[in-house]
Amino acid sequence: KICNCGIVFIMADRETLGSFEDSKRTSLKHPFTVLFHLLFRSLALFLYILYSVFPLQFTASVLAIILLLAVDFWIVKNVSGRLLAGLRWWNKIEEDGSSNWFFESRSDPSKVNSSESLIFWSSLLIFPIVWIFFMFVCIIKLDPKWLVVTTIGMMLNGANVVGYVKCRKDAGGRLTSMAGRLIGQEILKQALTQTETR
């Protein structure tokens, strides 16, 4: 389907890697995805706190934190968002400088596990707030070295927030317009049926 903001693909509802066959064992359908969704962002934050309190090798610590943040960005954008929230996004910058947003969403949002969705959205929103807090702490402490790290953390986490909020808004708009079309078709069908019976 094509929309004015880019191309929208409807993801298939097939089972993907990381799901358990027996959903009675756990309330999470994709426990490994949830683990990795939280692992890299938590490790990056933990290492930042550890290295800012106990200064060790600055360059190695910054590289470790930025690497964890980059892996987290990729996992959230390409894996956990698709499996835990049923959404995926990307942005393409054209040669003329224009920005095109592309969104994917499940055709049936009811297949998204509510526990996984809650974990996804809460961590997606909480971690950028924590990075913003540490960014202001660095500004107050006049610590430009760690300010760069906190800014990168806030930007990578914030980019996923912006992408997924736009994606969710787009998916909700498509769901509303589809419901409106179905209702309109049903009303037209009933009107034609009543006209034919007369």
Side-chain angles (χ1 to χ4, degrees), residues 14-27:
R14 65 180 182 269
E15 290 298 316
T16 54
L17 292 174
S19 65
F20 281 121
E21 294 294 327
D22 186 11
S23 61
K24 294 175 185 173
R25 278 192 262 168
T26 178
S27 64

Side-chain angles (χ1 to χ4, degrees), residues 29-99:
K29 195 174 179 183
H30 305 96
F32 292 113
T33 306
V34 171
L35 172 72
F36 287 112
H37 175 73
L38 297 171
L39 179 70
F40 292 107
R41 55 187 42 220
S42 299
L43 275 174
L45 199 57
F46 173 75
L47 287 181
Y48 168 75
I49 294 168
L50 179 72
Y51 290 143
S52 62
V53 173
F54 303 108
L56 299 170
Q57 184 80 1
F58 179 74
T59 306
S61 59
V62 168
L63 286 176
I65 293 167
I66 291 175
L67 181 64
L68 287 168
L69 287 168
V71 170
D72 170 66
F73 176 80
W74 186 87
I75 286 176
V76 171
K77 184 176 166 301
N78 295 310
V79 179
S80 64
R82 183 171 51 90
L83 295 176
L84 304 180
L87 302 169
R88 186 168 171 225
W89 67 271
W90 68 95
N91 184 328
K92 182 179 179 187
I93 306 296
E94 300 295 335
E95 289 182 18
D96 64 354
S98 64
S99 176

Side-chain angles (χ1 to χ4, degrees), residues 15 17 55 59 62 96-97 104 130-131 157 174 179 187 193 198:
E15 290 298 316
L17 292 174
T59 306
V62 168
D96 64 354
E104 292 180 354
V130 173
W131 283 111
N157 280 263
R174 280 188 289 112
I187 291 172
T193 306
R198 289 184 199 181

